Amino acid sequence: MNRKTRILSKSWPQRDATPATTINPPVYKGSTVLFNSYEDMLKAGRHEYEGISYGTDRLPTQRQFEEAMRDLEGGEVCRLFQSGIAAIQTALMAFTQSGDHILVCDNAYGPGQRFCRKVLQKYNIECTAVPPNVGADIDRYIRPNTTLILLESPGSLTFEIQDIPAITAIARQKNIVTVLDATWATPLYLQPFALGVDISIHSVTKYISGYSDVLAGTVTAGERCARTFENFYKLMEIYTPGEECYLALRGLQSLATRLRQHEQSALTVAGWLETMPLIDEVIHPALPSHAEHHLWKRDFRGSSGLFAFTFKKDYSHTELAAFIDSLDLFRLGYSWGGYQSLITAAKVMRATPSRYAGKTIIRLSIGLEECSDLVSDLENGFTMLT
Ligand SMILES: Cc1ncc(COP(=O)(O)O)c(C=O)c1O
């Protein structure tokens, strides 16, 4: 045997290597996965092989994360995606077909709504927006061909809460699939399956990964939809790279501790904002002043660090820019759920009547900085506004 071939063939793959047990799981990277025998390969060809047959067959780090999420959520099957939006899109595709009508909550993540209007519509799937605080009145929007309802509670810009159990009770009677984006609450503060939801979605990009360095998303299916979803995921040959799975799994380990801090700091900042004379409304589901606070109290186990407020005055772009650009700790950027506090400002546009229509919503993602420093930062920023 050639010397180079001999040296390299010894290094890897090793048939009888003794594994080292590290606390964190190894990062599996691979396209080809080796079979131990030709018989196993033939079984894979017949879809009878129990092991992992290829890189898109979900390598071990991915499976480990999916199992942890499935168990945290109390679902039947969880699958990981390369972003939250990919998770939303795939869930919608798995449970719709040409001729269907779907209902989409008007406060759902914008790109998800856009996918319904611009992509599903191309395949003759009609989409109707329903009010963000919809409950049993969802009945009014249901047609004979309605097959799916997409919810997000609370919405991640305006924080309206839907009456999830009232909606899922009606949907089950009519054999309609309910899909809930539960990113805000994480699996720790909301248990969608206990409320009758069929499909729970998380943007893992946010609190679960926690460091703003991962894009990932999950779909977890309950009993009623598990097999259909599992088969669809396999058909699409979707997978998530090992590093992202590793980081997502690592994030899960500290989620509860981080989330408690986000929650506590956000409540402190929100409480302080309520005392500020230039603020009109602090929009935070855990505050008694929130319109659906009673629903949050009934269905949720806690609150996270994302909330919003409105000013009494309709400030110009220049005035808002002076406030936002003067902040030191709150940085300007999309996404949320990381250690860095973030701020965004946007005018609300809705297809259905909204209590915030036309208003500028200032959204804060409260990070893990010292809370008193965050308050001081905003207090300094407000001096730019009169
Ligand atoms: C509520 C919600 N769901 C889904 C997504 C999409 O997640 P990702 O950024 O991982 O695609 C976002 C992103 O901001 C979001 O806010």
Side-chain angles (χ1 to χ4, degrees):
M1 195 186 283
N2 169 290
R3 185 172 169 271
K4 189 177 98 223
T5 308
R6 183 163 40 81
I7 292 170
L8 291 183
S9 71
K10 262 197 194 159
S11 75
W12 197 263
Q14 291 176 334
R15 284 177 190 268
D16 307 308
T18 309
T21 308
T22 52
I23 289 179
N24 292 301
V27 175
Y28 283 84
K29 290 171 74 71
S31 48
T32 298
V33 178
L34 298 174
F35 294 100
N36 282 329
S37 68
Y38 181 50
E39 187 52 38
D40 281 350
M41 190 178 226
L42 289 176
K43 274 191 196 161
R46 297 194 300 268
H47 304 288
E48 289 166 7
Y49 182 58
E50 305 256 301
I52 299 171
S53 60
Y54 194 57
T56 55
D57 197 14
R58 305 163 44 244
L59 296 174
T61 328
Q62 178 171 344
R63 290 176 179 231
Q64 222 175 323
F65 176 77
E66 290 172 345
E67 278 162 30
M69 274 297 280
R70 179 199 64 197
D71 293 347
L72 280 175
E73 293 211 83
E76 188 78 10
V77 161
C78 173
R79 291 291 179 266
L80 186 58
F81 294 80
Q82 293 196 26
S83 65
I85 186 63
I88 295 170
Q89 292 169 346
T90 309
L92 291 170
M93 287 192 288
F95 292 99
T96 51
Q97 55 190 355
S98 173
D100 284 354
H101 169 243
I102 67 170
L103 299 176
V104 178
C105 214
D106 206 9
N107 62 353
Y109 181 55
Q113 293 201 47
R114 209 158 49 231
F115 176 78
C116 296
R117 285 195 307 271
K118 307 257 177 188
V119 182
L120 294 183
Q121 206 101 331
K122 268 178 26 152
Y123 299 98
N124 192 30
I125 295 159
E126 205 185 336
C127 154
T128 302
V130 295
N133 56 351
V134 69
D137 54 328
I138 194 115
D139 218 11
R140 283 200 280 143
Y141 302 89
I142 293 175
R143 301 180 192 166
N145 62 336
T146 306
T147 55
L148 183 144
I149 301 172
L150 174 64
L151 306 169
E152 182 181 314
S153 195
S156 56
L157 179 63
T158 40
F159 303 92
E160 300 92 341
I161 292 189
Q162 293 113 53
D163 190 337
I164 302 168
I167 296 168
T168 57
I170 294 169
R172 278 183 178 243
Q173 272 170 20
K174 303 194 174 186
N175 205 24
I176 296 170
V177 172
T178 47
V179 180
L180 172 73
D181 183 333
T183 302
W184 183 84
T186 85
L188 303 184
Y189 289 167
L190 187 71
Q191 293 275 281
F193 299 110
L195 303 178
V197 167
D198 293 311
I199 303 281
S200 165
I201 292 183
H202 287 279
S203 166
V204 171
T205 310
K206 312 294 190 270
Y207 290 112
I208 293 171
S209 68
Y211 290 84
S212 310
D213 55 0
V214 172
L215 273 161
T218 51
V219 171
T220 305
E223 225 180 344
R224 203 157 76 109
C225 295
R227 294 294 83 81
T228 306
F229 184 69
E230 195 175 25
N231 292 336
F232 191 76
Y233 187 92
K234 196 160 178 49
L235 259 178
M236 299 290 281
E237 295 274 332
I238 300 165
Y239 79 102
T240 305
E243 283 91 352
E244 312 309 293
C245 302
Y246 172 89
L247 290 169
L249 199 49
R250 191 172 72 165
L252 268 188
Q253 295 288 353
S254 59
L255 176 62
T257 312
R258 285 184 286 109
L259 201 57
R260 259 196 303 276
Q261 188 59 53
H262 287 292
E263 175 175 33
Q264 212 176 73
S265 295
L267 285 170
T268 304
V269 175
W272 172 77
L273 283 169
E274 281 203 308
T275 68
M276 295 302 287
L278 73 176
I279 303 293
D280 183 34
E281 185 185 350
V282 180
I283 311 167
H284 188 311
L287 292 181
S289 55
H290 188 275
E292 291 95 32
H293 176 68
H294 59 292
L295 296 179
W296 172 80
K297 222 169 152 181
R298 186 193 67 189
D299 296 339
F300 291 73
R301 294 176 181 173
S303 58
S304 60
L306 189 77
F307 70 97
F309 65 87
T310 54
F311 286 115
K312 282 184 183 144
K313 200 173 149 192
D314 189 16
Y315 291 110
S316 68
H317 278 200
T318 320
E319 288 169 310
L320 282 178
F323 159 58
I324 290 171
D325 293 342
S326 75
L327 299 173
D328 267 337
L329 295 178
F330 285 90
R331 304 298 298 272
L332 196 57
Y334 293 121
S335 203
W336 41 280
Y339 62 86
Q340 169 73 54
S341 289
L342 296 171
I343 187 165
T344 59
K347 270 231 190 298
V348 176
M349 288 189 296
R350 294 273 182 253
T352 62
S354 160
R355 52 188 183 245
Y356 302 114
K359 289 195 177 176
T360 299
I361 299 278
I362 312 291
R363 189 183 76 173
L364 301 179
S365 173
I366 301 295
L368 297 177
E369 302 91 341
E370 204 55 53
C371 189
S372 54
D373 292 334
L374 294 175
V375 168
S376 300
D377 200 27
L378 290 171
E379 197 166 26
N380 289 339
F382 288 156
T383 62
M384 307 300 288
L385 300 167
T386 45

